[in-house]
Short mmCIF file of all heavy atoms in Angstrom, two decimals:
data_model
loop_
_atom_site.label_atom_id
_atom_site.label_comp_id
_atom_site.label_asym_id
_atom_site.label_seq_id
_atom_site.Cartn_x
_atom_site.Cartn_y
_atom_site.Cartn_z
N GLY A 1323 -99.14 -58.53 47.78
CA GLY A 1323 -99.01 -59.81 47.07
C GLY A 1323 -98.73 -59.65 45.59
O GLY A 1323 -98.26 -60.55 44.93
N SER A 1324 -99.05 -58.48 45.05
CA SER A 1324 -98.74 -58.13 43.65
C SER A 1324 -98.69 -56.61 43.55
O SER A 1324 -99.18 -55.90 44.42
CB SER A 1324 -99.82 -58.68 42.70
OG SER A 1324 -101.03 -57.96 42.88
N ARG A 1325 -98.13 -56.15 42.47
CA ARG A 1325 -98.06 -54.70 42.24
C ARG A 1325 -99.47 -54.11 42.14
O ARG A 1325 -99.75 -53.04 42.69
CB ARG A 1325 -97.25 -54.43 40.97
CG ARG A 1325 -97.19 -53.00 40.51
CD ARG A 1325 -96.36 -52.18 41.48
NE ARG A 1325 -96.43 -50.78 41.13
CZ ARG A 1325 -95.39 -49.98 41.13
NH1 ARG A 1325 -94.21 -50.43 41.44
NH2 ARG A 1325 -95.53 -48.72 40.83
N GLU A 1326 -100.35 -54.82 41.45
CA GLU A 1326 -101.72 -54.31 41.24
C GLU A 1326 -102.48 -54.18 42.56
O GLU A 1326 -103.14 -53.16 42.80
CB GLU A 1326 -102.49 -55.23 40.27
CG GLU A 1326 -101.92 -55.31 38.87
CD GLU A 1326 -100.65 -56.17 38.76
OE1 GLU A 1326 -100.44 -57.07 39.59
OE2 GLU A 1326 -99.86 -55.90 37.83
N VAL A 1327 -102.41 -55.19 43.40
CA VAL A 1327 -103.11 -55.14 44.68
C VAL A 1327 -102.50 -54.05 45.58
O VAL A 1327 -103.22 -53.29 46.23
CB VAL A 1327 -103.10 -56.51 45.40
CG1 VAL A 1327 -103.67 -56.41 46.81
CG2 VAL A 1327 -103.88 -57.53 44.57
N THR A 1328 -101.18 -53.97 45.59
CA THR A 1328 -100.52 -52.94 46.40
C THR A 1328 -100.93 -51.54 45.93
O THR A 1328 -101.20 -50.65 46.75
CB THR A 1328 -98.99 -53.11 46.36
OG1 THR A 1328 -98.67 -54.45 46.74
CG2 THR A 1328 -98.30 -52.15 47.30
N ASP A 1329 -101.01 -51.35 44.62
CA ASP A 1329 -101.46 -50.06 44.08
C ASP A 1329 -102.90 -49.76 44.51
O ASP A 1329 -103.23 -48.62 44.83
CB ASP A 1329 -101.35 -50.04 42.55
CG ASP A 1329 -99.92 -50.00 42.06
OD1 ASP A 1329 -99.00 -49.70 42.86
OD2 ASP A 1329 -99.70 -50.27 40.86
N GLU A 1330 -103.74 -50.78 44.52
CA GLU A 1330 -105.13 -50.60 44.94
C GLU A 1330 -105.20 -50.25 46.43
O GLU A 1330 -105.96 -49.37 46.83
CB GLU A 1330 -105.97 -51.85 44.65
CG GLU A 1330 -107.42 -51.73 45.04
CD GLU A 1330 -108.18 -50.61 44.34
OE1 GLU A 1330 -107.75 -50.14 43.26
OE2 GLU A 1330 -109.22 -50.18 44.88
N TRP A 1331 -104.40 -50.93 47.25
CA TRP A 1331 -104.32 -50.58 48.68
C TRP A 1331 -103.92 -49.12 48.83
O TRP A 1331 -104.47 -48.40 49.65
CB TRP A 1331 -103.30 -51.46 49.39
CG TRP A 1331 -103.73 -52.85 49.71
CD1 TRP A 1331 -104.88 -53.48 49.33
CD2 TRP A 1331 -102.98 -53.80 50.46
NE1 TRP A 1331 -104.89 -54.76 49.81
CE2 TRP A 1331 -103.74 -54.99 50.50
CE3 TRP A 1331 -101.75 -53.78 51.09
CZ2 TRP A 1331 -103.31 -56.14 51.17
CZ3 TRP A 1331 -101.31 -54.92 51.76
CH2 TRP A 1331 -102.08 -56.08 51.80
N TYR A 1332 -102.94 -48.70 48.03
CA TYR A 1332 -102.46 -47.32 48.12
C TYR A 1332 -103.59 -46.34 47.82
O TYR A 1332 -103.78 -45.35 48.54
CB TYR A 1332 -101.27 -47.12 47.17
CG TYR A 1332 -100.56 -45.82 47.38
CD1 TYR A 1332 -99.65 -45.68 48.43
CD2 TYR A 1332 -100.79 -44.72 46.55
CE1 TYR A 1332 -98.97 -44.48 48.63
CE2 TYR A 1332 -100.12 -43.52 46.77
CZ TYR A 1332 -99.22 -43.41 47.80
OH TYR A 1332 -98.56 -42.23 48.02
N ARG A 1333 -104.35 -46.62 46.78
CA ARG A 1333 -105.48 -45.74 46.44
C ARG A 1333 -106.51 -45.69 47.57
O ARG A 1333 -106.99 -44.62 47.94
CB ARG A 1333 -106.14 -46.19 45.14
CG ARG A 1333 -105.35 -45.80 43.89
CD ARG A 1333 -106.14 -46.06 42.62
NE ARG A 1333 -106.28 -47.48 42.32
CZ ARG A 1333 -105.34 -48.24 41.77
NH1 ARG A 1333 -104.17 -47.71 41.44
NH2 ARG A 1333 -105.55 -49.52 41.53
N LEU A 1334 -106.83 -46.84 48.13
CA LEU A 1334 -107.79 -46.89 49.24
C LEU A 1334 -107.26 -46.16 50.47
O LEU A 1334 -108.00 -45.43 51.15
CB LEU A 1334 -108.12 -48.34 49.59
CG LEU A 1334 -108.89 -49.12 48.54
CD1 LEU A 1334 -108.91 -50.61 48.87
CD2 LEU A 1334 -110.30 -48.58 48.38
N LEU A 1335 -105.98 -46.34 50.75
CA LEU A 1335 -105.39 -45.67 51.91
C LEU A 1335 -105.31 -44.16 51.71
O LEU A 1335 -105.47 -43.39 52.66
CB LEU A 1335 -104.00 -46.25 52.20
CG LEU A 1335 -104.02 -47.65 52.80
CD1 LEU A 1335 -102.64 -48.28 52.71
CD2 LEU A 1335 -104.51 -47.62 54.24
N GLN A 1336 -105.09 -43.72 50.46
CA GLN A 1336 -105.10 -42.28 50.18
C GLN A 1336 -106.46 -41.68 50.53
O GLN A 1336 -106.53 -40.60 51.12
CB GLN A 1336 -104.80 -42.02 48.70
CG GLN A 1336 -103.34 -42.00 48.37
CD GLN A 1336 -103.13 -41.67 46.89
OE1 GLN A 1336 -103.79 -42.22 46.01
NE2 GLN A 1336 -102.19 -40.78 46.64
N GLN A 1337 -107.52 -42.38 50.18
CA GLN A 1337 -108.86 -41.90 50.51
C GLN A 1337 -109.05 -41.84 52.02
O GLN A 1337 -109.60 -40.86 52.55
CB GLN A 1337 -109.93 -42.80 49.89
CG GLN A 1337 -109.94 -42.75 48.38
CD GLN A 1337 -110.82 -43.84 47.78
OE1 GLN A 1337 -111.42 -44.66 48.47
NE2 GLN A 1337 -110.89 -43.86 46.45
N GLN A 1338 -108.60 -42.87 52.73
CA GLN A 1338 -108.71 -42.90 54.19
C GLN A 1338 -107.89 -41.77 54.82
O GLN A 1338 -108.33 -41.13 55.77
CB GLN A 1338 -108.21 -44.24 54.75
CG GLN A 1338 -109.15 -45.37 54.55
CD GLN A 1338 -110.36 -45.25 55.46
OE1 GLN A 1338 -110.24 -44.95 56.63
NE2 GLN A 1338 -111.53 -45.46 54.89
N SER A 1339 -106.71 -41.55 54.29
CA SER A 1339 -105.83 -40.53 54.82
C SER A 1339 -106.46 -39.14 54.72
O SER A 1339 -106.34 -38.32 55.62
CB SER A 1339 -104.49 -40.55 54.09
OG SER A 1339 -103.65 -39.53 54.56
N LYS A 1340 -107.14 -38.90 53.61
CA LYS A 1340 -107.79 -37.60 53.41
C LYS A 1340 -108.92 -37.38 54.40
O LYS A 1340 -109.11 -36.28 54.88
CB LYS A 1340 -108.29 -37.48 51.98
CG LYS A 1340 -107.19 -37.32 50.97
CD LYS A 1340 -107.72 -37.32 49.56
CE LYS A 1340 -106.56 -37.30 48.57
NZ LYS A 1340 -107.01 -37.50 47.20
N SER A 1341 -109.65 -38.44 54.72
CA SER A 1341 -110.80 -38.27 55.62
C SER A 1341 -110.41 -38.39 57.10
O SER A 1341 -110.95 -37.69 57.93
CB SER A 1341 -111.89 -39.28 55.29
OG SER A 1341 -111.43 -40.59 55.53
N LYS A 1342 -109.46 -39.25 57.42
CA LYS A 1342 -109.08 -39.47 58.82
C LYS A 1342 -107.87 -38.65 59.24
O LYS A 1342 -107.79 -38.19 60.35
CB LYS A 1342 -108.79 -40.95 59.07
CG LYS A 1342 -109.91 -41.88 58.67
CD LYS A 1342 -110.76 -42.21 59.83
CE LYS A 1342 -111.75 -43.27 59.36
NZ LYS A 1342 -112.91 -43.38 60.07
#
Side-chain angles (χ1 to χ4, degrees):
S1324 70
R1325 174 69 187 223
E1326 296 76 25
V1327 172
T1328 306
D1329 289 345
E1330 181 60 21
W1331 283 6
Y1332 191 79
R1333 283 189 289 281
L1334 292 169
L1335 288 165
Q1336 277 182 314
Q1337 293 169 359
Q1338 285 288 316
S1339 178
K1340 289 175 186 171
S1341 64
K1342 306 264 186 203

